[in-house]
Amino acid sequence: MIKIKTLMKMIPFLVMGMVVLNSCEGEIDDLGSQLVSGNASDGVDKAYGLIAYNVDNNDVIRADASKLDSVRIGAFSEQVFGGQKVSYITQVRLNAYNPDFGKNPVIDSVVLTLKPKYQTASDSVKTTTTEDYTYPDGAVPAKKVVTNYPVNKYGKAKMGGQKTPLTIKINEVNDFLGGTSDSLLSNKAVALGAEIGSKPFSGSVNSVVITKDSDATELLNRAVGLRIDLDKNFFQNKIIAKQGDQVLKDAASFIRYFKGISISVEQNDGYLFSMAPNDAAITIYYKNDVTETNGTVTRTKAETTLNVGSGNVHLSQINYARAGTQYNSAMNSAVKIADFNNIKNTNPLTVQTSNYAEKLYLQGMGGASVGIRIPAKTLEDLRTEYKNNKIGIVSAKIRLYNDDSDASWSNAYQKPMSLLVKERFSAGFLPDMTTLSSAGYSLVRIANLSTKDAYYDIGITASLKTLIENESYDPYAKNEDFIINVGSYLSDTSTGLLLGQQYNNRAYAPYRILLKGTDLSTVGNEVVKGSKAAQLRIIYTKK
């Protein structure tokens, strides 16, 4: 029978448990409740300071087709992280080789269609109807309905109170891009040739439906997208005029002849928008001579498409301008990713208090990562508690706060909605994720995301149990820190299960955040209430 004194001690924690189990910001996770030994009575809630440091990824990330479920295009600059400019480069292939364009083929127009991701909320959509429209092909009386959708933007949708203008540019690629199995990095230099198209971009895409006045039948139904006219003379000479030539007879010859296109923006500041790379298409509209049975020759409309989707090499080319920024200064003292890759498990990298950072710069698309180390003294204290008092870890989380003290980081840019976390040198998920992968476990829980008081809780309950309960296990022999990146894990479309640690959207996640780092006075000690320094928050029970 439980003693009254013990029961009174448990009441606050029972109440707390009922509250957090009904909260999206709960401190006690399901894994912790599975791992606690029986007959625990007293509960303890503590927070300890952590050693947090920046990891310099040299602004480079693998960004070929295998990593690109989505691509970003655009430019964006702000004072903390600096400027970022992103271009999309892709090979082009014929849909059918050794094509027959007919007799005397002449191009009317060439159109590149892009399908950026856009908003569909009713208050964002604008529809314009023209009742007295005349359809030009046959001068047919008709009605034209154009529906505009704003694209999803990251950055400055408006500058100076006005919509930010972007000019999209299309260039021929002069370098052979290789094969689809090649690994390409985001800083790969690619030589560009002539500009073959451009268009001012208002930040919205549209659909067009045209119907006859007489019977309401559809004359045109164009899906939502962005259409960019390309240089018809370029394609007349590059494609149509080469009918029968060896360069059009097979894929290997063609991708060395017409090596690809680059899609970029002219400006250096504005916003980034996204699209699925395989949704792009190039359509060539042309006319040729057709001889009727009576000998009459007529000019007939025809079209052909160039494949810029799957099967082609894709590259997200990302360039950064960091000069004079806080970020640039912080990377001078950051841990270099090259050190991680070179030393592996043999020659431990020293990440002691001299490597700590008071500010953490976390950014996707090749930007910096964050490293977290639990101080040796904290582990020793917890191991002593485990040995002497048989503590059972109910919950363990790394908590990182948005840096609300830096005026230069006071902005309304969307903060990361998810994070990627791994144990250094591990190819798999954290043990917490593996244990509860089928139970809807959330690795990262976020609070106050839309405010300056945003913070992230990262569950490491199972990891901490291993560190404190296995006394022969030395986490520093292999430098098994926690490495955090901006991004989301990708799931199997049929099963919904996560594909693996390396399958994520980090290559095209544009988000960045300035976080509070280490308060040196808390390293190895408890964190005072109200502190926003990087901290380990734990709840444990002891007998």
Short mmCIF file of all heavy atoms in Angstrom, two decimals, residues 413-451:
data_model
loop_
_atom_site.label_atom_id
_atom_site.label_comp_id
_atom_site.label_asym_id
_atom_site.label_seq_id
_atom_site.Cartn_x
_atom_site.Cartn_y
_atom_site.Cartn_z
N TYR A 413 9.96 36.17 -41.05
CA TYR A 413 10.22 35.05 -41.96
C TYR A 413 9.82 33.74 -41.28
O TYR A 413 10.01 33.56 -40.08
CB TYR A 413 11.70 35.00 -42.34
CG TYR A 413 12.20 36.27 -42.99
CD1 TYR A 413 13.40 36.85 -42.58
CD2 TYR A 413 11.47 36.90 -43.98
CE1 TYR A 413 13.86 38.02 -43.16
CE2 TYR A 413 11.92 38.07 -44.56
CZ TYR A 413 13.12 38.63 -44.15
OH TYR A 413 13.56 39.79 -44.72
N GLN A 414 9.28 32.87 -42.07
CA GLN A 414 8.80 31.60 -41.53
C GLN A 414 9.95 30.80 -40.93
O GLN A 414 10.98 30.60 -41.56
CB GLN A 414 8.12 30.78 -42.62
CG GLN A 414 7.51 29.49 -42.12
CD GLN A 414 6.75 28.75 -43.21
OE1 GLN A 414 6.33 29.34 -44.20
NE2 GLN A 414 6.59 27.46 -43.05
N LYS A 415 9.76 30.35 -39.70
CA LYS A 415 10.78 29.56 -39.02
C LYS A 415 10.67 28.10 -39.44
O LYS A 415 9.62 27.66 -39.91
CB LYS A 415 10.62 29.69 -37.50
CG LYS A 415 10.75 31.12 -36.98
CD LYS A 415 10.53 31.18 -35.47
CE LYS A 415 10.62 32.61 -34.94
NZ LYS A 415 9.47 33.44 -35.38
N PRO A 416 11.74 27.33 -39.28
CA PRO A 416 11.67 25.90 -39.61
C PRO A 416 10.55 25.21 -38.84
O PRO A 416 10.40 25.40 -37.64
CB PRO A 416 13.04 25.38 -39.17
CG PRO A 416 13.93 26.58 -39.20
CD PRO A 416 13.07 27.73 -38.79
N MET A 417 9.77 24.41 -39.54
CA MET A 417 8.67 23.69 -38.92
C MET A 417 9.05 22.28 -38.51
O MET A 417 8.27 21.58 -37.87
CB MET A 417 7.48 23.66 -39.88
CG MET A 417 6.89 25.04 -40.15
SD MET A 417 5.61 25.02 -41.42
CE MET A 417 6.61 24.77 -42.89
N SER A 418 10.24 21.85 -38.89
CA SER A 418 10.71 20.52 -38.52
C SER A 418 12.23 20.51 -38.58
O SER A 418 12.85 21.37 -39.21
CB SER A 418 10.13 19.45 -39.46
OG SER A 418 10.48 19.75 -40.80
N LEU A 419 12.83 19.54 -37.91
CA LEU A 419 14.28 19.42 -37.87
C LEU A 419 14.69 17.98 -38.12
O LEU A 419 13.94 17.04 -37.84
CB LEU A 419 14.81 19.87 -36.49
CG LEU A 419 14.52 21.31 -36.06
CD1 LEU A 419 14.98 21.52 -34.62
CD2 LEU A 419 15.17 22.31 -36.99
N LEU A 420 15.89 17.82 -38.64
CA LEU A 420 16.52 16.51 -38.81
C LEU A 420 17.55 16.35 -37.70
O LEU A 420 18.35 17.25 -37.46
CB LEU A 420 17.21 16.42 -40.17
CG LEU A 420 16.37 16.80 -41.39
CD1 LEU A 420 17.26 16.86 -42.63
CD2 LEU A 420 15.24 15.82 -41.60
N VAL A 421 17.52 15.21 -37.03
CA VAL A 421 18.43 15.00 -35.91
C VAL A 421 19.04 13.61 -36.00
O VAL A 421 18.35 12.63 -36.31
CB VAL A 421 17.70 15.14 -34.55
CG1 VAL A 421 18.72 15.15 -33.41
CG2 VAL A 421 16.86 16.41 -34.51
N LYS A 422 20.32 13.54 -35.76
CA LYS A 422 21.00 12.24 -35.77
C LYS A 422 22.11 12.25 -34.73
O LYS A 422 22.56 13.31 -34.27
CB LYS A 422 21.60 11.95 -37.15
CG LYS A 422 22.63 12.99 -37.60
CD LYS A 422 23.23 12.64 -38.95
CE LYS A 422 24.15 11.46 -38.86
NZ LYS A 422 24.86 11.20 -40.13
N GLU A 423 22.52 11.06 -34.33
CA GLU A 423 23.73 10.93 -33.53
C GLU A 423 24.90 10.95 -34.51
O GLU A 423 24.86 10.29 -35.55
CB GLU A 423 23.71 9.63 -32.71
CG GLU A 423 22.67 9.64 -31.61
CD GLU A 423 22.60 8.33 -30.85
OE1 GLU A 423 23.20 7.35 -31.33
OE2 GLU A 423 21.96 8.28 -29.79
N ARG A 424 25.91 11.69 -34.17
CA ARG A 424 27.02 11.85 -35.09
C ARG A 424 27.59 10.51 -35.52
O ARG A 424 27.77 9.60 -34.72
CB ARG A 424 28.09 12.68 -34.39
CG ARG A 424 29.17 13.16 -35.32
CD ARG A 424 29.98 14.20 -34.61
NE ARG A 424 31.26 14.35 -35.31
CZ ARG A 424 32.38 14.63 -34.71
NH1 ARG A 424 32.39 14.79 -33.41
NH2 ARG A 424 33.48 14.77 -35.39
N PHE A 425 27.83 10.38 -36.83
CA PHE A 425 28.36 9.17 -37.47
C PHE A 425 27.34 8.04 -37.55
O PHE A 425 27.65 6.96 -38.03
CB PHE A 425 29.63 8.66 -36.79
CG PHE A 425 30.77 9.63 -36.84
CD1 PHE A 425 31.39 10.05 -35.68
CD2 PHE A 425 31.20 10.15 -38.05
CE1 PHE A 425 32.43 10.95 -35.73
CE2 PHE A 425 32.24 11.06 -38.09
CZ PHE A 425 32.86 11.46 -36.93
N SER A 426 26.15 8.25 -37.08
CA SER A 426 25.12 7.22 -37.21
C SER A 426 24.35 7.45 -38.51
O SER A 426 24.03 8.58 -38.88
CB SER A 426 24.14 7.29 -36.03
OG SER A 426 23.04 6.44 -36.26
N ALA A 427 24.04 6.36 -39.20
CA ALA A 427 23.30 6.47 -40.45
C ALA A 427 21.80 6.33 -40.23
O ALA A 427 21.01 6.50 -41.15
CB ALA A 427 23.77 5.40 -41.44
N GLY A 428 21.41 6.00 -39.00
CA GLY A 428 20.00 5.75 -38.73
C GLY A 428 19.34 6.84 -37.93
O GLY A 428 19.94 7.87 -37.61
N PHE A 429 18.07 6.62 -37.61
CA PHE A 429 17.31 7.55 -36.78
C PHE A 429 17.77 7.47 -35.34
O PHE A 429 18.43 6.49 -34.92
CB PHE A 429 15.82 7.22 -36.84
CG PHE A 429 15.19 7.46 -38.17
CD1 PHE A 429 14.53 6.44 -38.84
CD2 PHE A 429 15.23 8.71 -38.77
CE1 PHE A 429 13.94 6.66 -40.07
CE2 PHE A 429 14.64 8.94 -40.00
CZ PHE A 429 13.99 7.91 -40.65
N LEU A 430 17.40 8.47 -34.55
CA LEU A 430 17.63 8.39 -33.11
C LEU A 430 16.89 7.18 -32.55
O LEU A 430 15.84 6.79 -33.07
CB LEU A 430 17.12 9.65 -32.41
CG LEU A 430 17.87 10.96 -32.66
CD1 LEU A 430 17.30 12.05 -31.76
CD2 LEU A 430 19.36 10.82 -32.42
N PRO A 431 17.41 6.57 -31.47
CA PRO A 431 16.73 5.40 -30.90
C PRO A 431 15.27 5.67 -30.55
O PRO A 431 14.43 4.77 -30.68
CB PRO A 431 17.55 5.12 -29.64
CG PRO A 431 18.91 5.65 -29.94
CD PRO A 431 18.68 6.86 -30.79
N ASP A 432 14.95 6.88 -30.11
CA ASP A 432 13.56 7.21 -29.78
C ASP A 432 12.66 7.02 -31.00
O ASP A 432 11.56 6.47 -30.90
CB ASP A 432 13.46 8.67 -29.32
CG ASP A 432 14.20 8.92 -28.03
OD1 ASP A 432 15.40 8.59 -27.96
OD2 ASP A 432 13.58 9.43 -27.09
N MET A 433 13.09 7.46 -32.16
CA MET A 433 12.29 7.34 -33.38
C MET A 433 12.13 5.88 -33.79
O MET A 433 11.06 5.45 -34.21
CB MET A 433 12.91 8.14 -34.52
CG MET A 433 12.85 9.64 -34.34
SD MET A 433 13.49 10.51 -35.77
CE MET A 433 12.24 10.13 -37.00
N THR A 434 13.21 5.12 -33.67
CA THR A 434 13.17 3.71 -34.05
C THR A 434 12.23 2.93 -33.15
O THR A 434 11.43 2.11 -33.61
CB THR A 434 14.59 3.10 -33.98
OG1 THR A 434 15.46 3.86 -34.82
CG2 THR A 434 14.57 1.65 -34.44
N THR A 435 12.29 3.20 -31.86
CA THR A 435 11.45 2.47 -30.90
C THR A 435 9.98 2.76 -31.11
O THR A 435 9.14 1.87 -30.98
CB THR A 435 11.85 2.86 -29.45
OG1 THR A 435 13.23 2.58 -29.27
CG2 THR A 435 11.03 2.08 -28.45
N LEU A 436 9.65 4.01 -31.43
CA LEU A 436 8.24 4.40 -31.53
C LEU A 436 7.82 4.77 -32.95
O LEU A 436 6.90 5.55 -33.13
CB LEU A 436 7.97 5.58 -30.59
CG LEU A 436 7.97 5.27 -29.11
CD1 LEU A 436 7.70 6.53 -28.31
CD2 LEU A 436 6.95 4.21 -28.77
N SER A 437 8.50 4.20 -33.95
CA SER A 437 8.22 4.59 -35.33
C SER A 437 6.79 4.30 -35.75
O SER A 437 6.25 4.96 -36.62
CB SER A 437 9.18 3.87 -36.28
OG SER A 437 9.03 2.46 -36.16
N SER A 438 6.15 3.32 -35.13
CA SER A 438 4.79 2.96 -35.53
C SER A 438 3.73 3.56 -34.61
O SER A 438 2.56 3.27 -34.74
CB SER A 438 4.63 1.43 -35.54
OG SER A 438 4.86 0.91 -34.23
N ALA A 439 4.16 4.42 -33.69
CA ALA A 439 3.21 4.95 -32.71
C ALA A 439 2.94 6.44 -32.89
O ALA A 439 2.47 7.09 -31.98
CB ALA A 439 3.74 4.69 -31.29
N GLY A 440 3.26 6.96 -34.07
CA GLY A 440 3.01 8.37 -34.33
C GLY A 440 3.91 9.28 -33.52
O GLY A 440 3.56 10.41 -33.20
N TYR A 441 5.11 8.79 -33.19
CA TYR A 441 6.03 9.56 -32.36
C TYR A 441 6.51 10.80 -33.09
O TYR A 441 6.83 10.77 -34.27
CB TYR A 441 7.22 8.68 -31.97
CG TYR A 441 8.29 9.42 -31.21
CD1 TYR A 441 8.10 9.77 -29.88
CD2 TYR A 441 9.49 9.77 -31.83
CE1 TYR A 441 9.08 10.45 -29.17
CE2 TYR A 441 10.47 10.45 -31.13
CZ TYR A 441 10.26 10.78 -29.80
OH TYR A 441 11.23 11.45 -29.10
N SER A 442 6.57 11.91 -32.37
CA SER A 442 7.06 13.16 -32.93
C SER A 442 8.44 13.46 -32.34
O SER A 442 8.57 13.72 -31.15
CB SER A 442 6.08 14.31 -32.61
OG SER A 442 6.57 15.52 -33.09
N LEU A 443 9.46 13.41 -33.18
CA LEU A 443 10.83 13.64 -32.73
C LEU A 443 10.99 15.06 -32.20
O LEU A 443 11.63 15.29 -31.17
CB LEU A 443 11.81 13.41 -33.88
CG LEU A 443 13.26 13.85 -33.65
CD1 LEU A 443 13.91 12.96 -32.60
CD2 LEU A 443 14.05 13.82 -34.95
N VAL A 444 10.43 16.02 -32.93
CA VAL A 444 10.59 17.43 -32.58
C VAL A 444 9.22 18.04 -32.30
O VAL A 444 8.30 17.92 -33.11
CB VAL A 444 11.27 18.21 -33.71
CG1 VAL A 444 11.44 19.67 -33.33
CG2 VAL A 444 12.62 17.59 -34.06
N ARG A 445 9.11 18.68 -31.16
CA ARG A 445 7.89 19.41 -30.83
C ARG A 445 8.21 20.89 -30.75
O ARG A 445 9.23 21.28 -30.18
CB ARG A 445 7.30 18.90 -29.51
CG ARG A 445 6.81 17.46 -29.61
CD ARG A 445 6.22 16.96 -28.32
NE ARG A 445 5.75 15.58 -28.45
CZ ARG A 445 5.19 14.89 -27.47
NH1 ARG A 445 5.02 15.46 -26.27
NH2 ARG A 445 4.79 13.66 -27.66
N ILE A 446 7.35 21.69 -31.34
CA ILE A 446 7.60 23.12 -31.48
C ILE A 446 6.56 23.90 -30.71
O ILE A 446 5.37 23.55 -30.71
CB ILE A 446 7.56 23.52 -32.96
CG1 ILE A 446 8.51 22.64 -33.77
CG2 ILE A 446 7.92 24.99 -33.14
CD1 ILE A 446 8.35 22.79 -35.26
N ALA A 447 6.98 24.99 -30.09
CA ALA A 447 6.05 25.86 -29.38
C ALA A 447 6.26 27.30 -29.82
O ALA A 447 7.38 27.72 -30.13
CB ALA A 447 6.24 25.74 -27.87
N ASN A 448 5.16 28.05 -29.86
CA ASN A 448 5.20 29.50 -30.14
C ASN A 448 5.91 29.82 -31.45
O ASN A 448 6.64 30.81 -31.55
CB ASN A 448 5.90 30.24 -28.99
CG ASN A 448 5.31 29.90 -27.63
OD1 ASN A 448 4.10 29.76 -27.49
ND2 ASN A 448 6.17 29.75 -26.65
N LEU A 449 5.70 28.99 -32.48
CA LEU A 449 6.48 29.12 -33.72
C LEU A 449 6.32 30.49 -34.37
O LEU A 449 7.26 31.00 -34.98
CB LEU A 449 6.06 28.03 -34.72
CG LEU A 449 6.92 27.91 -35.97
CD1 LEU A 449 8.35 27.54 -35.60
CD2 LEU A 449 6.34 26.88 -36.94
N SER A 450 5.16 31.09 -34.26
CA SER A 450 4.92 32.37 -34.93
C SER A 450 5.38 33.58 -34.10
O SER A 450 5.18 34.71 -34.50
CB SER A 450 3.43 32.51 -35.25
OG SER A 450 2.66 32.50 -34.06
N THR A 451 6.01 33.33 -32.97
CA THR A 451 6.42 34.43 -32.09
C THR A 451 7.94 34.40 -31.89
O THR A 451 8.63 33.44 -32.24
CB THR A 451 5.74 34.33 -30.72
OG1 THR A 451 6.35 33.28 -29.95
CG2 THR A 451 4.24 34.05 -30.88
#
